[in-house]
Amino acid sequence: MVTDNADNADKGDNADSPSGYVQPVIDTQALAELLDGEYAEVRRLVRTNLVAYADVLEEAEELGFDAFRERVREIVVEMAATGQTGMGFPKEYGGGGDVGASIAAFETLAFGDLSVLVKVGVQFGLFGGAILQLGTEHHHETYLPDVVTGKLMGCFAMTETGHGSNVQALGTVARYDAGTQEFVITTGDDQARKDYIGNAARHAELAVVFAQLEVDGEREGVHAFVVPIRAGGQPAPGVRIEDDGRKMGLNGVDNGRIWFDGVRVPREALLNRFADVTAEGVYRSPIDNPNRRFFTMLGTLVQGRVSVAGGAVNAAKVALAIATKYALRRRQFEAASDADEQVLLDYGMHRRRLLPLIARTYALHFAQDVTRTQLHEVFSGIADDEQARRELEARAAGIKALGTWHATRTIQECREACGGAGYLAVNRFAALKADSDVFATFEGDNHVLLQLVAKGLLTHHASEFESMDQLGMVRYVTNLAVETVIEKSSAHKLLERVRDLLPGGDEWDQEAGLLDSEYHLAMLRFREEHMLAGAARRLKRGMDQKGHPGVVFSQVQDHVIAVAHAHVERLVLEAFVEKVQGLPDGDHKVALGLLCDLFALSTIEADRAWFMEHGRLTVQRSKAIRREVNDLCAKIRPIAAELVDAWGIPREMLRAPDLVG
């Protein structure tokens, strides 16, 4: 257990139980301030803007397709005037000079309409972020002042119809013409058209276009260029644009397709922070390794992934707030007495449905805090080293995957938990489901992102990290002794530390208390280490049997994904435990300790078959964990309303009068 007051919280849910457990009392405002953290003022500004534009939730249903797109654009520009959307840009260009603040603002914006959120992300995170991170002073001075205000709208043209996640294989070509000192941008065929590009169908004047750079007949890899795609509201010469049309959701965002037919842009259009082409046509870069150069250029995607993860978790909070408030009002059947029907949240199954999701949401909230801080330090130059950047990339990829999957699962469960009433559009579930579903896909498909996480684990972010594709990773692991792979993993070192702390040698997991946070961490660390060892051994065995590296990797791919998933869950738990342990003694520490225990035990319970298969759970202990989860749900039930209120979701954003009262 991570708290002092609840060490003996193992029986019942009475305030004065024989175990000495005392029900914590929550100060909602104080807990809200704790959750808002250092960016409380930023979040307050965003909440104010959300309330001011609350009508957009109704407009999403009432306005026509084109009218709603225009309304979303208007709101984004008007929010930009408040300073909300430009916080990550340098002050000299009208920004706030605080990368962490920009992520916090984006996360909070997810309480509202998600079309507004995504359009903000495209304009200021992807388009503006690419110019900021990949460009140099010329580009910053030319574009950023108008980007920050929303006067200049743009798009981030990376994804192609034929190449989504495999960015290095993009088909668009930018050939340098030394005679005119221009780049010629060309779409080879329909597979190379830019597709699903936000802002492209209607509003973008410029695009940051990712294309294969060709200089004097030599390919230098994918680089980014600023390319005009509209002039006077019409497609620019040589540019063809099509509307992607209606989508499952996010119909306030104008996604489109773009083709380039010999479009010429000046030499200065190359975003040249990491590579340049001289007027004479000589390619130069301070980064010799082309793969390392490519991954360095993709750094803009890290900020997008961190933003999407935070936005997804906050969308889940909206669903949970609605479902929890409904469960505290809605009565069904006479269970506790013959006279009164019982509220939904007093039913054990209903608590089981919602409260572990609240616990996981809190866990992901604190894990997001860690990731946001790392991002701020790397992008602000505070932690400006290669290892910190690699660790950020892996953490951002993993938290994005788990956070977006959590949102999808949570929104669906909350919709069902509200019965037929939850199916009405006025209650937000329809929009939340439709608009957040794509979060699992954009800014990186979740399974592909988890492969990135696993590659870092298997190679321990070796110096050759960026040079390795999947086959390179297989060969790398094969050439190491499997024990070396494990010794290099941080999970192994952490597990050894835990074994020193807990009694019983190899039987530590059977003797530790169920509410001991060191036990929870040790279980998740053991799972990660064991899976990592298994993946490494399988890769090596396949290669020892003379298998083709691609075939070997494909056969082990499910195991590789499982390793990454286990790793990220361990990181999430560590963030939660560290947060709770750092709090002063009191009711909030007790309450968050209950949530932390519930997250840990429900995570172990969900994978109890694996733990039993690998000798880390007896049948009796597995049953005890199930009982403990039920007991924790009973203890959390009296403070459920305060826990969701502390998220600070404006009432206007909940919108569900019949559900929340």
Side-chain angles (χ1 to χ4, degrees):
M1 185 64 167
V2 293
T3 67
D4 297 328
N5 293 354
D7 281 341
N8 299 314
D10 55 358
K11 295 179 182 177
D13 59 347
N14 297 323
D16 298 312
S17 68
S19 66
Y21 172 73
V22 177
Q23 183 67 47
V25 177
I26 299 298
D27 180 337
T28 304
Q29 184 58 40
L31 182 56
E33 291 172 2
L34 172 68
L35 294 174
D36 280 355
E38 61 183 306
Y39 295 115
E41 286 298 321
V42 170
R43 297 185 192 280
R44 191 171 297 118
L45 169 62
V46 178
R47 289 184 177 106
T48 299
N49 285 341
L50 285 171
V51 173
Y53 294 100
D55 287 349
V56 70
L57 299 177
E58 284 76 33
E59 291 168 340
E61 299 163 3
E62 297 167 358
L63 294 178
F65 186 48
D66 293 331
F68 183 54
R69 285 176 165 183
E70 293 305 316
R71 181 57 182 149
V72 169
R73 185 194 64 79
E74 290 172 3
I75 292 173
V76 168
V77 173
E78 290 172 19
M79 284 185 173
T82 71
Q84 171 191 315
T85 59
M87 293 177 180
F89 294 98
K91 292 181 179 179
E92 57 265 36
Y93 304 118
D98 190 330
V99 177
S102 71
I103 304 297
F106 187 87
E107 293 165 357
T108 312
L109 190 60
F111 290 149
D113 178 79
L114 296 183
S115 283
V116 173
L117 177 84
V118 170
K119 200 164 183 78
V120 164
V122 168
Q123 168 69 13
F124 303 102
L126 292 176
F127 171 64
I131 292 174
L132 175 63
Q133 298 298 333
L134 301 182
T136 50
E137 187 176 0
H138 162 72
H139 305 103
H140 298 167
E141 292 179 349
T142 302
Y143 302 116
L144 289 185
D146 286 342
V147 170
V148 170
T149 63
K151 179 180 178 182
L152 175 63
M153 301 291 283
C155 62
F156 186 83
M158 175 182 283
T159 301
E160 295 179 356
T161 302
H163 292 99
S165 298
N166 188 8
V167 178
Q168 280 181 290
L170 293 178
T172 304
V173 176
R175 178 180 55 82
Y176 184 64
D177 183 345
T180 62
Q181 296 186 26
E182 293 173 318
F183 292 102
V184 184
I185 314 292
T186 303
T187 302
D189 55 32
D190 276 351
Q191 291 300 299
R193 71 185 181 191
K194 300 298 180 182
D195 211 347
Y196 324 118
I197 309 301
N199 267 6
R202 293 294 174 90
H203 298 139
E205 299 173 49
L206 296 179
V208 171
V209 178
F210 288 79
Q212 302 284 355
L213 172 60
E214 184 178 301
V215 181
D216 195 24
E218 294 290 327
R219 288 284 177 95
E220 303 292 352
V222 173
H223 293 64
F225 304 81
V226 178
V227 182
I229 62 170
R230 279 188 176 82
Q234 298 300 314
V239 176
R240 178 159 64 98
I241 302 173
E242 280 186 6
D243 198 320
D244 275 324
R246 287 191 176 274
K247 307 180 291 290
M248 284 177 60
L250 297 177
N251 283 305
V253 182
D254 51 317
N255 293 80
R257 306 181 179 102
I258 314 173
W259 291 258
F260 302 95
D261 184 10
V263 176
R264 289 180 171 268
V265 294
R267 186 173 64 90
E268 293 75 19
L270 172 65
L271 293 174
N272 61 339
R273 178 181 175 186
F274 300 110
D276 207 351
V277 177
T278 67
E280 297 76 21
V282 178
Y283 178 80
R284 292 175 177 166
S285 173
I287 307 173
D288 293 332
N289 185 303
N291 287 301
R292 183 169 298 167
R293 185 166 61 239
F294 169 74
F295 281 101
T296 301
M297 291 179 184
L298 287 193
T300 49
L301 290 178
V302 175
Q303 184 168 339
R305 287 166 184 165
V306 176
S307 298
V308 169
V313 172
N314 274 11
K317 289 177 185 176
V318 176
L320 279 167
I322 294 170
T324 302
K325 288 175 180 294
Y326 183 64
L328 289 166
R329 296 178 67 244
R330 179 75 157 88
R331 294 184 177 274
Q332 187 108 298
F333 303 113
E334 299 86 356
S337 71
D338 294 334
D340 297 323
E341 288 188 295
Q342 185 163 296
V343 296
L344 294 179
L345 205 57
D346 283 338
Y347 287 99
M349 188 63 219
H350 212 82
R351 290 198 294 261
R352 270 272 186 171
R353 297 177 73 181
L354 297 182
L355 300 186
L357 293 176
I358 291 176
R360 193 173 185 88
T361 302
Y362 267 82
L364 287 164
H365 175 103
F366 293 123
Q368 175 72 6
D369 283 349
V370 174
T371 312
R372 186 194 322 107
T373 298
Q374 287 187 344
L375 176 81
H376 180 80
E377 290 176 350
V378 169
F379 276 57
S380 301
I382 299 170
D384 191 19
D385 64 89
E386 204 167 309
Q387 185 67 19
R389 181 177 60 81
R390 288 172 180 160
E391 290 177 359
L392 169 64
E393 288 173 355
R395 182 183 285 267
I399 298 296
K400 186 268 181 184
L402 264 63
T404 54
W405 274 331
H406 172 69
T408 299
R409 173 195 170 195
T410 298
I411 292 165
Q412 176 63 29
E413 190 66 53
C414 289
R415 205 296 299 159
E416 293 182 28
C418 291
Y423 201 62
L424 301 178
V426 71
N427 295 326
R428 286 212 65 189
F429 290 118
L432 283 171
K433 279 168 60 70
D435 291 345
S436 68
D437 193 75
V438 75
F439 282 25
T441 305
F442 69 19
E443 298 304 310
D445 175 273
N446 285 350
H447 287 97
V448 175
L449 292 182
L450 288 180
Q451 286 182 194
L452 172 67
V453 175
K455 184 173 79 165
L457 291 172
L458 286 162
T459 63
H460 194 57
H461 303 291
S463 58
E464 302 90 345
F465 182 76
E466 277 94 352
S467 304
M468 295 182 205
D469 55 12
Q470 292 174 357
L471 307 189
M473 180 186 73
V474 174
R475 293 188 177 101
Y476 180 89
V477 173
T478 302
N479 290 333
L480 290 176
V482 173
E483 291 74 16
T484 303
V485 174
I486 305 310
E487 288 292 342
K488 290 175 106 175
S489 80
S490 57
H492 179 81
K493 296 180 179 64
L494 293 169
L495 182 59
E496 290 304 315
R497 180 175 65 81
V498 171
R499 281 178 171 161
D500 291 339
L501 289 173
L502 295 177
D506 201 43
E507 299 301 315
W508 54 266
D509 55 328
Q510 306 303 335
E511 299 184 21
L514 288 183
L515 296 182
D516 186 335
S517 61
E518 291 292 350
Y519 166 67
H520 303 153
L521 288 167
M523 288 288 277
L524 266 58
R525 287 165 180 162
F526 173 82
R527 181 180 64 170
E528 177 185 346
E529 180 197 24
H530 196 285
M531 286 183 169
L532 185 61
R537 290 190 185 98
R538 290 182 184 197
L539 289 169
K540 190 173 190 306
R541 183 167 60 246
M543 291 298 287
D544 288 346
Q545 294 172 353
K546 309 302 181 185
H548 184 279
V551 175
V552 171
F553 179 81
S554 180
Q555 291 172 340
V556 182
Q557 195 171 19
D558 61 331
H559 204 87
V560 167
I561 296 296
V563 170
H565 197 283
H567 170 72
V568 181
E569 280 197 324
R570 189 258 295 175
L571 292 180
V572 172
L573 179 59
E574 284 181 340
F576 203 169
V577 169
E578 183 178 352
K579 183 68 177 183
V580 177
Q581 289 180 340
L583 294 175
D585 290 343
D587 284 1
H588 289 166
K589 186 170 186 174
V590 173
L592 291 180
L594 293 172
L595 287 172
C596 189
D597 287 344
L598 179 56
F599 167 66
L601 289 180
S602 59
T603 298
I604 294 169
E605 181 190 40
D607 207 12
R608 62 186 181 275
W610 187 94
F611 287 109
M612 293 177 75
E613 287 174 353
H614 294 84
R616 292 302 166 185
L617 274 184
T618 62
V619 172
Q620 293 76 14
R621 198 164 179 82
S622 177
K623 291 179 178 179
I625 286 176
R626 186 170 185 82
R627 289 193 298 269
E628 197 64 64
V629 169
N630 287 336
D631 191 47
L632 287 166
C633 287
K635 289 183 173 70
I636 292 169
R637 183 258 178 264
I639 56 173
E642 290 85 351
L643 290 173
V644 299
D645 285 344
W647 290 329
I649 305 168
R651 187 172 184 82
E652 293 84 351
M653 297 301 98
L654 298 180
R655 196 192 173 203
D658 292 338
L659 296 185
V660 303

